[in-house]
Amino acid sequence: MLGAKDIAFLLVGVGIKLLLWPAYHSTDFEVHRNWLAITNSLPLSKWYYEDRSEWTLDYPPFFAWFEWALSLAARWWDPRIVQLDSLGYATGSCVAFQRLTVMVSELVLFSALGRFVQASGGTKQSKIAAALMFLSPGFLFVDHVHFQYNGFLFGIMVYSLVFAMEGRDLLAGTTFAVLLCFKHIFMYIAPAYFIYLAAGYCAVFRTRRRQPVGICDLDVGASAQRLAKLGAAVAVVFAVAFGPFAVLGQLPQLASRL
């Protein structure tokens, strides 16, 4: 449950971001508008082939489905937003819609940071860290001026990290796999996740009887079982994301776009 202070902080953040609505926006604004049009106007089989605009769809499938979900609201808000021939369309209604979607999507980050504060015991330091991230100048300029959805994506990453803090390593790894299927640039931190999950989740050690304290043996069976669970969870996530395109025989085309 959100307390009065949480709601007040959220409203302050919303107020600051509303002030940035009239600000400059980069070509990324048109990139995402075009992706709304692609996912709304074309069948799945043509999403990663459409090229009448130079801003082709080049994010992984989960982000494409995210754009598709937004496009349903965009069609109701202003049908021209989701028309493929509306290249460079940036009327007041279009700007308002796209700015609003960034703000709404950042509720994922707000929720994740709230979970982080709880997992940290509600310490003053955790609250300051959460506030600094939610009102980060980086997010303000890149997402609310330049125009991207990094706050939403970082919210997923924070959830993954919080699950690890809570000792739910399998869920942490699965959530990170979901994040990779939204934006593949997070592959840069995949080695850190691999090492953490391999050592902290997959590797199971047992102490033998009559063995000196502090000396443990690797339980190969239990470790293999955990590795299989983690591998299966990640495989399911990637199958859901890329499976439809594999069935269509489009994985090489999709990979060429990423």
Side-chain angles (χ1 to χ4, degrees):
M1 292 293 293
L2 293 177
K5 291 183 178 180
D6 298 321
I7 295 174
F9 177 72
L10 179 61
L11 291 176
V12 169
V14 169
I16 293 173
K17 293 162 187 177
L18 283 173
L19 293 174
L20 297 173
W21 275 27
Y24 144 90
H25 53 77
S26 76
T27 53
D28 275 348
F29 182 88
E30 169 59 15
V31 169
H32 288 281
R33 190 218 56 80
N34 191 53
W35 292 359
L36 293 174
I38 289 173
T39 54
N40 188 271
S41 302
L42 298 175
L44 179 70
S45 60
K46 295 184 179 180
W47 284 4
Y48 287 96
Y49 283 91
E50 169 60 32
D51 62 358
R52 71 189 71 185
S53 165
E54 62 181 309
W55 311 121
T56 55
L57 181 57
D58 58 8
Y59 272 26
F62 279 175
F63 200 92
W65 283 111
F66 170 69
E67 293 279 2
W68 172 81
L70 295 180
S71 76
L72 299 180
R75 176 176 286 277
W76 169 82
W77 182 282
D78 179 353
R80 285 205 61 192
I81 294 175
V82 295
Q83 292 177 5
L84 288 170
D85 60 357
S86 295
L87 301 179
Y89 187 64
T91 62
S93 65
C94 180
V95 171
F97 176 80
Q98 292 193 232
R99 295 287 195 203
L100 185 61
T101 61
V102 173
M103 293 176 61
V104 172
S105 71
E106 279 192 340
L107 291 176
V108 175
L109 176 62
F110 184 80
S111 175
L113 291 172
R115 183 77 171 255
F116 162 73
V117 171
Q118 289 182 342
S120 303
T123 63
K124 182 178 180 179
Q125 292 85 347
S126 67
K127 292 179 180 179
I128 292 174
L132 289 175
M133 174 167 277
F134 189 69
L135 295 178
S136 165
F139 288 146
L140 290 176
F141 282 104
V142 177
D143 286 6
H144 299 276
V145 177
H146 181 80
F147 195 84
Q148 289 186 18
Y149 291 90
N150 293 295
F152 163 66
L153 296 170
F154 269 80
I156 299 173
M157 187 177 75
V158 171
Y159 262 119
S160 176
L161 295 173
V162 171
F163 291 145
M165 290 173 61
E166 296 173 346
R168 305 167 72 184
D169 292 335
L170 180 59
L171 185 56
T174 304
T175 305
F176 181 68
V178 170
L179 178 62
L180 290 178
C181 292
F182 270 97
K183 192 170 185 177
H184 50 302
I185 197 171
F186 287 97
M187 281 293 295
Y188 288 121
I189 60 174
Y193 267 86
F194 175 80
I195 294 170
Y196 169 77
L197 291 171
Y201 175 74
C202 295
V204 179
F205 293 91
R206 308 290 187 192
T207 302
R208 291 183 180 178
R209 292 183 179 180
R210 301 178 182 178
Q211 189 162 296
V213 176
I215 299 178
C216 301
D217 293 329
L218 178 68
D219 188 327
V220 176
S223 298
Q225 186 178 36
R226 287 195 173 188
L227 179 61
K229 285 182 179 179
L230 179 60
V234 172
V236 167
V237 170
F238 277 81
V240 171
F242 292 91
F245 299 95
V247 171
L248 293 168
Q250 295 183 356
L251 287 183
Q253 173 65 17
L254 195 160
S256 71
R257 285 288 184 88
L258 299 182

